[in-house]
Amino acid sequence: MKKILITRRLLKECEEKASKAFDANFNSNDELYTQKKVIEMSQGCDGILSSLTEKLDAETINKLPESIKIISNFAVGFGNIDLDAAKKRGIVVTNTPDVLTDATAEIGILLILGACRRVPEGIQGAKDCNWKWSADYLIGKQLTGARLGILGMGRIGQKIAIVAKSLGMIIHYHNRSKLSADKENGATYHDSLKSLMSVSDVLSVCCPASNETINLINKENIEYLPKGAVVTNVARGDIVDDDALIDALERRKVYAVGLDVYKGEPNLNPGYLKFKQAFILPHLGSATKETRTAMGNLAIDNIEEFFKTGNCKNRVN
Ligand code: GLV
């Protein structure tokens, strides 16, 4: 039986499955392992089932024992893992695509609605019993007819586009390449980020974090947005330069933000705190029972497939 380090607790059903499939080394307290601890705990293991909370950079990967052959990440994103360093060490890295598309797109839509319709202020007013209905109370931005710019039209971006379109939004997107007509589903392609930004009444960041996308939403690019645009991020915090976005809120260049992810999670940049127009969630994208179960099962299946066949369809390096 293969010995696998499972760095974070999984849902019960998945831990049961892992116990049957492997000699599983669970993290019973669900503590956050430091890089040193991951190295220590992986001694004698054949693989690691990791989560986005472990930063497996080159230095950490180079110190993993020779016996580690696979890192199966419990996430679709794998910006927490240095893929090249893993490849050099002959370690296969896998992710959990598809199964979390719908749940994450739901949060993507929630961010758009929450930011456009002033949900943080509404919740506060209701809880404080400190509001009075009036024709102009908490007037927000209507989605119908607004242009939604999707940065990264992958699986999650496409699903957000379908729902947003059904709400009457007009969809634009920027991707490395133009999609086929069926995937595009009537959306307008922009071959540059600047072109996309300039038509985005609402921006939805859906692209993976990588060396090319770090701080892509920065001071310079934000200036291309129409005045009073809404910026949402359901992907990874690293893609947004928080200081630039906070400055844009301050100047009212940006009307509101909706963030499910941010740099340095869980430590939110305090600059956001003073803005009532900041609708911010604690990385809930895939957090439904169905989805987290499917992700856990897939992360386990990826390891089993790899040890059975020497490869894995969800390999990313
Ligand atoms: C969640 O953020 C994921 O990448 O799966």
Side-chain angles (χ1 to χ4, degrees), residues 31-93:
E31 66 186 275
L32 289 179
Y33 287 163
T34 59
Q35 289 158 316
K36 191 163 162 262
K37 181 95 178 182
V38 172
I39 296 162
E40 208 177 284
M41 297 294 290
S42 56
Q43 298 304 316
C45 289
D46 302 292
I48 302 176
L49 195 160
S50 58
S51 291
L52 53 88
T53 48
E54 290 87 49
K55 189 163 171 55
L56 302 176
D57 56 13
E59 203 188 330
T60 309
I61 286 177
N62 289 336
K63 288 185 185 151
L64 290 174
E66 283 293 320
S67 56
I68 296 291
K69 299 293 177 229
I70 179 167
I71 299 173
S72 171
N73 209 37
F74 176 71
V76 67
F78 39 81
N80 56 312
I81 304 174
D82 189 320
L83 295 187
D84 291 338
K87 194 164 190 165
K88 277 192 201 123
R89 283 283 317 265
I91 298 173
V92 164
V93 179

Side-chain angles (χ1 to χ4, degrees), residues 32-240:
L32 289 179
Y33 287 163
T34 59
Q35 289 158 316
K36 191 163 162 262
K37 181 95 178 182
V38 172
I39 296 162
E40 208 177 284
M41 297 294 290
S42 56
Q43 298 304 316
C45 289
D46 302 292
I48 302 176
L49 195 160
S50 58
S51 291
L52 53 88
T53 48
E54 290 87 49
K55 189 163 171 55
L56 302 176
D57 56 13
E59 203 188 330
T60 309
I61 286 177
N62 289 336
K63 288 185 185 151
L64 290 174
E66 283 293 320
S67 56
I68 296 291
K69 299 293 177 229
I70 179 167
I71 299 173
S72 171
N73 209 37
F74 176 71
V76 67
F78 39 81
N80 56 312
I81 304 174
D82 189 320
L83 295 187
D84 291 338
K87 194 164 190 165
K88 277 192 201 123
R89 283 283 317 265
I91 298 173
V92 164
V93 179
T94 61
N95 70 341
T96 60
D98 301 314
V99 294
L100 47 62
T101 301
D102 290 353
T104 308
E106 286 175 9
I107 293 290
I109 292 291
L110 178 64
L111 296 175
I112 295 170
L113 284 166
C116 287
R117 299 301 302 271
R118 304 178 66 173
V119 164
E121 290 165 87
I123 290 176
Q124 201 55 52
K127 284 192 169 164
D128 294 346
C129 304
N130 179 23
W131 64 281
K132 177 169 105 245
W133 188 92
S134 66
D136 62 355
Y137 176 63
L138 285 191
I139 282 189
K141 277 191 189 290
Q142 179 138 351
L143 303 192
T144 327
R147 297 167 299 177
L148 174 63
I150 299 185
L151 170 58
M153 191 73 142
R155 290 167 287 245
I156 295 167
Q158 285 171 41
K159 181 73 196 229
I160 289 174
I162 290 170
V163 181
K165 193 174 171 185
S166 77
L167 293 170
M169 298 191 87
I170 298 150
I171 315 299
H172 294 255
Y173 73 100
H174 170 58
N175 232 19
R176 270 175 302 199
S177 49
K178 186 168 157 48
L179 298 179
S180 59
D182 61 322
K183 288 190 171 156
E184 212 170 51
N185 189 25
T188 304
Y189 177 64
H190 294 256
D191 64 4
S192 75
L193 174 61
K194 287 174 182 149
S195 167
L196 179 75
M197 298 289 269
S198 67
V199 298
S200 296
D201 299 317
V202 180
L203 180 73
S204 175
V205 177
C206 300
C207 62
S210 68
N211 289 339
E212 292 82 56
T213 62
I214 279 181
N215 285 333
L216 204 50
I217 305 304
N218 54 27
K219 190 169 170 46
E220 186 198 339
N221 288 327
I222 285 172
E223 284 319 298
Y224 287 88
L225 287 169
K227 180 148 176 68
V230 169
V231 174
T232 68
N233 184 4
V234 74
R236 282 291 182 270
D238 282 337
I239 302 162
V240 172

